[in-house]
Amino acid sequence: MAVDYTVIVVYLAGMLAMGWWGMRRARSKSDFLVAGRRLGPAMYSGTMAAIVLGGASTIGGVGLGYRYGLSGAWMVFTIGLGLLALSVFFSARIARLKVYTVSEMLDLRYGGRAGVISGVVMWAYTLMLAVTSTIAYATIFDVLFDMNRTVAIILGGSIVVAYSTLGGMWSITLTDMVQFVVKTIGVLLLLLPIAVVKAGGFGEMKAKLPTEYFDPLGIGGETIFTYVLIYTFGMLIGQDIWQRVFTARSDTTAKWGGTVAGTYCLAYALAGAVIGTAAKVLYPNLANADDAFATIVKDELPVGVRGLVLAAALAAVMSTSSGALIACATVANNDIWSRLRGRTAEGERDEVRGNRAFILVMGIAVIATAIALNNVVEALTVAYNLLVGGLLVPILGGLLWKRGTAQGALASVAVGGLAVIGLMAGYGILANEPVYYGLLASLVVYVAVSLATPATDTAVLAAWRERLAGREVPEPVPAPR
């Protein structure tokens, strides 16, 4: 394993080195939070694909393939569909807004009255997303070094917090680009063909497995519908995804670069399912389907290649973890703390210092929560249920329906969020009903309250249209709370 260890250690050292290099470029708030809004198509596509394809998409995607066969691709497939929908229909408009957070977009659209409550919901989502990614370090380092769970979380989390704190989005962009290349080589070009060959090829796989393993809808229609509702729609509104859209050099880059990244996600989804199906042939009696990835890597790959593929898994986890962490810190500082204390004028250096401090504090909180929490699936479900149930309607309503009002948006966030929480308590966290009924309640309240209250002020709508058109207007400064 010495060669494999060397590959991993070099990879981790490289991540820290890029964090240090990124620190030298992050001289302004724009540099630190959105990489100066200067990413071109190639880098934008790579980093966008890196953030959406995390540990759940890699380790979890292979696990679903092990359990359900080719239809196990649907979870990651719906993530790709969501990214395609965002890129084709919304990303150009989002990029032209020149904001830093989703809540700032809501303030622009509704007149500065939706910020704090939407910020709290988005903060809870990004925090739990960062926590679930951080927990995944335990699985990878256990395979690599037989390491204690807590030590593994602290080690992996500390590296991500270090390079994210140093250079902000510039560091994360550089590391994500490396992670994208490592994932492509490790998972698509190495693990996929090796797994299929070791399983005897597709003919042997079909002969040894039940026919439902090759049914595209074998996972079940209700499960697919739930994936679409949570992940496809979640891709449209998450702060971690929008913050990457804000890094695009132009609206054209955001549209076409995101389309390339979404298409890549579809291929990645199928690859994970095929690897999982091959693992089912090789190891038909694993106690836990999520162990399929680590098992096939550990037992079937040659020395050196094994280290690279494990680095690919680590890259997948780190890219999502760092993206969620900077999103969590950005929301906490800009949408909650700055509004609660009353925004004051700050220089660019103070802005960078303040956001850097928030990444460090949020990073420590994420590591501590990850150590205390055991169930990754439940944490991720809570995050996406809150996001979709509380924020999907007011965000898409603001983009698509000019009659939506601030009162309707606030009522929609409050009712949708509380309904999801209450229904999860009643039906169970993993039930489908909370997000179904919570989203329906949010929609009904949004439409009803918006129609019952005066239309949004024409001056606010005019400023909103100017910003959507990409015309230069001052950066949004929400009213103090």
Side-chain angles (χ1 to χ4, degrees):
M1 292 287 288
V3 175
D4 297 325
Y5 293 161
T6 301
V7 172
I8 298 296
V9 170
V10 169
Y11 169 76
L12 293 176
M15 295 300 99
L16 291 173
M18 289 184 184
W20 183 261
W21 187 85
M23 181 177 67
R24 303 179 62 176
R25 300 198 63 171
R27 295 189 175 92
S28 68
K29 179 180 179 180
S30 177
D31 287 336
F32 193 81
L33 295 183
V34 290
R37 307 188 196 274
R38 295 200 297 269
L39 297 193
M43 187 165 280
Y44 178 85
S45 297
T47 58
M48 181 62 89
I51 187 176
V52 300
L53 297 173
S57 299
T58 303
I59 299 171
V62 171
L64 287 171
Y66 183 89
R67 189 179 293 120
Y68 299 106
L70 297 186
S71 67
W74 273 105
M75 184 188 77
V76 184
F77 201 81
T78 56
I79 289 174
L81 291 178
L83 187 52
L84 284 171
L86 174 71
S87 301
V88 172
F89 298 112
F90 299 107
S91 63
R93 284 186 283 177
I94 293 170
R96 287 195 292 264
L97 290 174
K98 301 296 185 187
V99 294
Y100 292 102
T101 68
V102 174
S103 293
E104 287 182 5
M105 167 264 168
L106 292 173
D107 276 344
L108 276 172
R109 169 60 182 81
Y110 295 112
R113 287 176 287 176
V116 173
I117 186 171
S118 62
V120 169
V121 174
M122 189 63 78
W123 174 80
Y125 157 73
T126 53
L127 177 71
M128 296 309 292
L129 186 62
V131 166
T132 56
S133 301
T134 303
I135 291 173
Y137 295 128
T139 301
I140 297 170
F141 283 116
D142 178 56
V143 174
L144 284 171
F145 307 117
D146 193 23
M147 188 178 289
N148 173 270
R149 178 182 184 276
T150 299
V151 175
I153 289 172
I154 292 173
L155 175 61
S158 297
I159 292 170
V160 170
V161 171
Y163 74 68
S164 301
T165 302
L166 286 171
M169 187 59 84
W170 267 122
S171 293
I172 292 170
T173 296
L174 294 169
T175 55
D176 276 1
M177 200 63 204
V178 173
Q179 288 158 0
F180 170 74
V181 173
V182 171
K183 278 192 289 192
T184 301
I185 296 172
V187 175
L188 296 183
L189 301 183
L190 292 176
L191 182 57
L192 174 61
I194 290 173
V196 172
V197 170
K198 291 283 186 177
F202 284 104
E204 189 70 15
M205 290 162 63
K206 285 187 176 181
K208 289 187 174 181
L209 295 173
T211 55
E212 56 264 27
Y213 264 70
F214 301 91
D215 180 358
L217 304 179
I219 199 170
E222 184 179 354
T223 299
I224 295 171
F225 178 74
T226 303
Y227 284 159
V228 170
L229 201 60
I230 293 178
Y231 296 114
T232 300
F233 285 112
M235 287 294 106
L236 299 180
I237 58 175
Q239 169 67 26
D240 52 323
I241 309 303
W242 278 40
Q243 199 156 344
R244 293 310 174 98
V245 175
F246 301 150
T247 65
R249 178 189 300 161
S250 66
D251 53 4
T252 302
T253 296
K255 182 175 181 177
W256 295 111
T259 300
V260 171
T263 305
Y264 178 90
C265 291
L266 303 183
Y268 200 88
L270 184 58
V274 170
I275 293 167
T277 305
K280 183 67 175 179
V281 173
L282 294 167
Y283 312 100
N285 300 312
L286 290 179
N288 185 351
D290 285 339
D291 291 338
F293 179 89
T295 303
I296 197 169
V297 169
K298 194 173 182 180
D299 293 349
E300 304 297 337
L301 298 186
V303 173
V305 173
R306 181 171 50 209
L308 183 59
V309 173
L310 286 172
L314 196 58
V317 175
M318 283 188 160
S319 56
T320 299
S321 181
S322 59
L325 176 59
I326 194 171
C328 178
T330 302
V331 170
N333 187 17
N334 291 268
D335 292 339
I336 301 175
W337 175 245
S338 293
R339 296 164 192 264
L340 291 177
R341 70 182 173 87
R343 188 180 294 267
T344 57
E346 292 181 308
E348 290 287 355
R349 186 177 298 273
D350 291 332
E351 289 267 24
V352 172
R353 187 182 297 118
N355 282 293
R356 184 173 280 136
F358 264 86
I359 290 180
L360 180 59
V361 171
M362 290 296 106
I364 293 171
V366 164
I367 292 171
T369 307
I371 292 171
L373 204 61
N374 286 318
N375 197 313
V376 179
V377 176
E378 288 191 358
L380 195 62
T381 301
V382 170
Y384 273 97
N385 281 356
L386 279 173
L387 177 70
V388 174
L391 290 178
L392 178 67
V393 170
I395 291 172
L396 293 189
L399 289 169
L400 300 173
W401 191 41
K402 66 179 181 180
R403 186 60 182 80
T405 66
Q407 294 89 338
L410 287 169
S412 177
V413 173
V415 171
L418 291 174
V420 164
I421 292 171
L423 290 165
M424 282 193 295
Y427 284 99
I429 290 175
L430 299 179
N432 293 328
E433 288 84 357
V435 72
Y436 293 169
Y437 299 143
L439 186 57
L440 179 61
S442 178
L443 176 61
V444 170
V445 168
Y446 178 73
V447 173
V449 175
S450 292
L451 292 175
T453 52
T456 304
D457 185 85
T458 54
V460 171
L461 288 177
W464 167 252
R465 285 191 293 269
E466 289 288 302
R467 185 64 73 98
L468 278 179
R471 300 186 181 97
E472 290 296 324
V473 291
E475 291 279 356
V477 180
R481 290 289 178 268

